[in-house]
Amino acid sequence: MSYVTERKIVVITRQTRADELLRRFNNIMQATFYVEKMGGSIEEYVEESKVYKDTVSASVNQLQELARVQQIDREQVPSFIFGEEDVVVAIGQDGLVANTLKYLDAQPLIAVNPDPARYDGVLLPFVEPDLALVVKDTLLGRRPTKDITMALATLNDGQSLLAVNDLFIGKQTHVSARYHIKVGRQEENQSSSGIIVSTGLGSSGWLKSVIAGARGVAEVITGGALHGEVSVPEWNSDFLYYSVREPFPSNTTGANLVFGKITSSLQITSQMPEGGVIFSDGIEQDYLQFNSGMVASITVAAKKGALVV
């Protein structure tokens, strides 16, 4: 077969909710019984899965006319070795795009919304009918990309973790995290539900929820609407935001450093004997242990993602 290029196209897909049900219950009859017993309908899961798989199949068929195609599941991404010249296509929701970007090294990522009727797709600018043209333009260097800033957590033992949307620093369970926080020349001991560090891309996710909740509480307490908006950074901004969740002021802990920009670094020293963690982009299985004596430095990562637009 004659291809447009010798470069490889790597297609990233995911398991659907129907697939996950089948993996849990072994067959469709048991899955149907469980869902309907809980008051739901299996038809929604089946239809969603069909639309997704039809989109994947149509996309791969298009791409096989242009270049060699390798399809992998999202669970394989952390251990997959991407070639320097690979073009990567992610077909799924926004989370799939974010979790793929941090394992790439400047390879262009094309994000496809498989089901626009179901998914808003902030990070999914393309649909399946666009794909062949977009990939061809990308292969020929005619398609622009947008830089995506990432956050980097580096521990004093040398371990590190990247985040495209946000980092969480705290306890594995719903008990208070204890740590020392330092931002610039300001520092204090804190007890809280953990710290969230958000990138420009992540400002439309977890950080947005934090701000909405804080605003709602403040408006009730003050008896009026608050004016002014937090400046939402661009996806390629050279700073991060940090937010401390539910800080508890006491004789030994403060609540002065609860929200702000990170323009150089944020330093956190764990005071948790066990159960301390740092995880990224909502994936709790992808974490660093963060127990007593460990020091985390949170900065803007030198590496950036390249999202095709």
Side-chain angles (χ1 to χ4, degrees), residues 226-267:
L226 300 181
H227 301 288
E229 298 290 335
V230 173
S231 175
V232 176
E234 296 292 330
W235 292 356
N236 62 350
S237 295
D238 60 353
F239 63 87
L240 309 168
Y241 271 122
Y242 77 92
S243 178
V244 177
R245 300 197 310 168
E246 303 167 331
F248 183 76
S250 70
N251 290 339
T252 58
T253 57
N256 295 309
L257 304 176
V258 297
F259 184 85
K261 285 184 179 180
I262 306 171
T263 55
S264 55
S265 70
L266 169 72
Q267 190 175 87

Side-chain angles (χ1 to χ4, degrees), residues 264-304:
S264 55
S265 70
L266 169 72
Q267 190 175 87
I268 307 165
T269 304
S270 177
Q271 298 174 345
M272 297 172 279
E274 61 181 3
V277 295
I278 300 175
F279 64 79
S280 68
D281 299 324
I283 308 298
E284 295 186 18
Q285 297 86 351
D286 185 12
Y287 72 93
L288 301 176
Q289 291 189 1
F290 188 55
N291 298 321
S292 294
M294 304 197 80
V295 180
S297 179
I298 313 296
T299 61
V300 171
K303 183 170 84 167
K304 290 184 180 290

Side-chain angles (χ1 to χ4, degrees), residues 6 19 54 67 122 168 230:
E6 290 303 311
D19 291 333
D54 285 349
V122 175
F168 173 81
V230 173

Side-chain angles (χ1 to χ4, degrees), residues 1-140:
M1 180 180 291
S2 177
Y3 294 128
V4 172
T5 178
E6 290 303 311
R7 295 168 67 181
K8 183 170 86 261
I9 300 172
V10 181
V11 177
I12 314 295
T13 58
R14 61 172 179 81
Q15 298 290 298
T16 65
R17 293 189 299 167
D19 291 333
E20 292 168 354
L21 281 172
L22 287 174
R23 184 165 58 181
R24 179 180 176 187
F25 293 105
N26 299 318
N27 61 64
I28 190 66
M29 291 182 61
Q30 291 186 41
T32 300
F33 175 78
Y34 170 78
V35 172
E36 293 182 350
K37 182 181 178 181
M38 300 302 292
S41 170
I42 196 68
E43 295 304 320
E44 167 62 19
Y45 294 86
V46 172
E47 175 60 23
E48 179 187 62
S49 184
K50 182 180 185 304
V51 171
Y52 179 74
K53 291 182 177 182
D54 285 349
T55 299
V56 170
S57 178
S59 298
V60 170
N61 287 339
Q62 288 188 58
L63 298 178
Q64 286 175 336
E65 298 294 322
L66 303 176
R68 292 178 297 123
V69 176
Q70 183 171 2
Q71 183 178 334
I72 64 171
D73 187 81
R74 68 182 300 173
E75 294 181 356
Q76 298 171 283
V77 171
S79 59
F80 186 80
I81 299 175
F82 292 91
E84 290 184 8
E85 297 298 316
D86 287 351
V87 172
V88 183
V89 176
I91 306 175
Q93 294 170 264
D94 288 335
L96 178 65
V97 178
N99 286 309
T100 299
L101 273 171
K102 63 188 176 185
Y103 295 104
L104 302 180
D105 189 14
Q107 293 94 341
L109 176 62
I110 298 168
V112 176
N113 189 336
D115 196 345
R118 286 184 172 87
Y119 311 135
D120 291 338
V122 175
L123 302 181
L124 307 170
F126 306 114
V127 291
E128 179 265 322
D130 303 330
L131 192 54
L133 178 60
V134 174
V135 171
K136 186 179 292 187
D137 283 348
T138 301
L139 290 168
L140 297 174

Side-chain angles (χ1 to χ4, degrees), residues 134-172:
V134 174
V135 171
K136 186 179 292 187
D137 283 348
T138 301
L139 290 168
L140 297 174
R142 299 195 302 230
R143 200 83 196 183
T145 60
K146 192 167 188 175
D147 285 345
I148 305 296
T149 295
M150 303 185 200
L152 175 67
T154 305
L155 299 183
N156 54 337
D157 66 358
Q159 295 185 84
S160 63
L161 185 66
L162 283 167
V164 175
N165 284 322
D166 37 54
L167 290 164
F168 173 81
I169 303 100
K171 288 278 282 188
Q172 286 178 311

